[in-house]
Amino acid sequence: MHSLRGAVAALLITGLPVLAAQPAFAQAKPERMFQQMAAACAAPLAETGKPVVLKTPLDPATRGALISAIFLTLHDPSGPGRWPEKEIEAAQPCAVARFEVADAIWTLNSGSGRLPVRWAGATGHDDFFFVMRGPSLSDARAWDQGGRQGLPAASNAPAYYLVGRDRGANYIGQIYDGPPSARRIADDIAELLETDRRAIAVHDPVGDAISLLIPLEDGPQAEILRPQDIAGADGFAALYVPDDHLITWGDDAAFVMRGSGFVCPRAFGTYERQVLGVYDPDDARLNMACMLESDTGWATIYVTRQPDASKDKLLVNAGLKELEKAVGVAARLTDPPQGPKAQVQIGRNWVDNQGRVQVVLFLRRGEYTYDIRQVHPKADIQAGGEALIAILNQIDLPDARTAEGWRARR
């Protein structure tokens, strides 16, 4: 069993969403438990829906229709909050089925109003699934080709979208041409969690960023439909594939950032790329982050356009003070060589109150700053150091000996 986010990250490391056709699915366990339940509270569904077949690679019109349909189905006009988690947490359960998937018992509930028409969760799982009514791909195509203005015309019967929510992102697992049965929902959840089947797309509520995970004939794999909402949001818009504007493809499936040209490869040592975070897409204030994880730690490289260097030291030291206060300082470690002419302008590393190594590095290159954060257990200090060396070299620094010397001292 795997998480939705973990499965997507693994596929992106191999390049499969862009370079390969949809793989044949391994079969989910046929003997798993499924129990239909009669509930007077349940909103009735016709349960006639069948999966919509998407012919890949998607042609440009279908690509636009799919992105538009996902946006129209999952956009929350009240802002990128915790919908539908907040509504589900406050709702009275109305169970219509129970089933076994991924060694857990899931309960499928019925909903109405701002609730999804169906949602499923399991004890011990932070992720959950829900089914939303949305426009058909035909109606979404017309809306897309008409300039994405106003509300789409409902010329056809609505479609229904199976969505998995994991760590704040929406993973579109299936599209149905009508309301799906409880058995169909359970089977599709099982395939998503127990087999090599991938999600169709990922939707991030911040900025309504949509990343398509299936092959295209042409056009960008991702699109941010409301970039104007990102800077004022609490968080970032996540892109899992390039949008050909803020991010483009580099060699060996690397991501190349707009403006700085920084290259975020598939991995730095044992730290594998998970997502590209967009904090501000405006060219005057470009702020993006290459986010990485290892089996035991994480690292993030924030790349920001900040032409004014006069307050670098003041701002970085203030941020360090706040971070040290938040995580604690149990022991100091040797800091890297630093200064105006060194590779690293400001750097600090220490052991926090939970026994983790905290690393903060600040570099300025022209109008762009690079803020590097890394957290890992003390036992992984060598792997962490090797990843940092690779990151520093990737920023195209002139003297690698300083970094090698830092590694030796640690």
Side-chain angles (χ1 to χ4, degrees):
M1 192 277 287
H2 49 64
S3 70
L4 292 165
R5 187 173 189 269
V8 168
L11 287 164
L12 295 180
I13 289 297
T14 63
L16 286 175
V18 178
L19 303 178
Q22 192 82 347
F25 303 150
Q27 293 299 307
K29 295 187 295 184
E31 71 279 4
R32 68 176 181 277
M33 181 273 286
F34 177 86
Q35 179 185 7
Q36 192 93 31
M37 304 169 69
C41 57
L45 285 181
E47 298 195 341
T48 57
K50 296 180 177 61
V52 173
V53 177
L54 295 170
K55 182 181 178 181
T56 58
L58 297 184
D59 59 70
T62 305
R63 172 201 168 276
L66 180 57
I67 285 179
S68 296
I70 293 169
F71 168 75
L72 291 166
T73 301
L74 295 176
H75 171 67
D76 184 2
S78 64
R82 293 181 59 241
W83 177 87
E85 289 155 284
K86 186 169 57 176
E87 287 76 9
I88 288 174
E89 288 171 359
Q92 290 292 327
C94 181
V96 296
R98 296 185 194 278
F99 52 91
E100 180 187 7
V101 167
D103 300 319
I105 302 301
W106 295 69
T107 301
L108 183 67
N109 290 277
S110 173
S112 59
R114 275 182 59 80
L115 286 167
V117 296
R118 295 288 186 266
W119 80 87
T123 301
H125 277 252
D126 293 329
D127 52 350
F128 63 94
F129 289 83
F130 59 98
V131 176
M132 285 295 297
R133 184 187 295 108
S136 68
L137 289 181
S138 296
D139 288 344
R141 179 182 289 109
W143 185 75
D144 177 60
Q145 295 176 346
R148 298 178 175 174
Q149 299 296 317
L151 295 175
S155 303
N156 299 278
Y160 288 74
Y161 297 77
L162 175 63
V163 183
R165 184 69 167 246
D166 190 6
R167 293 172 67 171
N170 297 315
Y171 295 79
I172 294 80
Q174 188 62 277
I175 305 173
Y176 309 99
D177 60 8
S181 67
R183 169 70 78 171
R184 167 65 69 180
I185 295 169
D187 288 346
D188 283 332
I189 291 175
E191 283 194 346
L192 287 162
L193 291 184
E194 294 180 348
T195 77
D196 56 3
R197 173 175 166 179
R198 72 187 63 160
I200 296 168
V202 188
H203 166 264
D204 190 325
V206 177
D208 286 296
I210 298 171
S211 300
L212 299 181
L213 305 180
I214 52 180
L216 309 179
E217 283 183 0
D218 194 18
Q221 291 282 142
E223 186 174 347
I224 301 175
L225 277 80
R226 293 189 59 82
Q228 67 272 23
D229 295 346
I230 297 175
D234 182 17
F236 57 88
L239 291 177
Y240 295 78
V241 284
D243 66 342
D244 291 355
H245 174 65
L246 295 171
I247 318 168
T248 55
W249 287 110
D251 293 338
D252 196 26
F255 290 176
V256 182
M257 292 185 184
R258 180 179 176 87
S260 67
F262 178 71
V263 176
C264 177
R266 297 183 185 189
F268 288 104
T270 60
Y271 286 71
E272 296 180 343
R273 186 183 67 214
Q274 302 296 305
V275 69
L276 197 294
V278 179
Y279 288 86
D280 194 331
D282 190 288
D283 278 341
R285 307 178 302 275
L286 274 176
N287 187 353
M288 294 184 280
C290 173
M291 299 180 173
L292 314 151
E293 290 182 6
S294 70
D295 288 341
T296 57
W298 60 268
T300 299
I301 306 131
Y302 301 91
V303 183
T304 309
R305 185 172 187 266
Q306 297 185 98
D308 183 5
S310 63
K311 296 183 179 180
D312 283 356
K313 188 172 183 179
L314 179 66
L315 293 174
V316 174
N317 285 335
L320 276 167
K321 184 176 180 180
E322 288 296 316
L323 179 60
E324 290 182 348
K325 182 179 179 181
V327 303
V329 179
R332 295 285 183 187
L333 299 176
T334 303
D335 290 333
Q338 54 193 283
K341 296 183 179 181
Q343 286 183 308
V344 176
Q345 276 62 73
I346 302 173
R348 193 84 51 82
N349 54 107
W350 70 95
V351 179
D352 66 21
N353 288 343
Q354 296 185 34
R356 303 170 304 181
V357 174
Q358 297 272 347
V359 180
V360 177
L361 304 178
F362 173 82
L363 297 80
R364 173 172 284 280
R365 296 295 178 267
E367 292 189 336
Y368 287 87
T369 61
Y370 296 79
D371 296 271
I372 304 169
R373 281 283 323 275
Q374 186 187 58
V375 178
H376 58 76
K378 287 191 290 185
D380 292 340
I381 198 165
Q382 180 174 347
E386 290 172 354
L388 287 174
I389 299 304
I391 292 169
L392 293 173
N393 288 337
Q394 187 67 62
I395 300 173
D396 197 23
L397 301 175
D399 182 7
R401 289 175 299 174
T402 304
E404 290 293 333
W406 174 34
R407 181 169 61 181
R409 288 177 64 187
R410 291 184 60 169

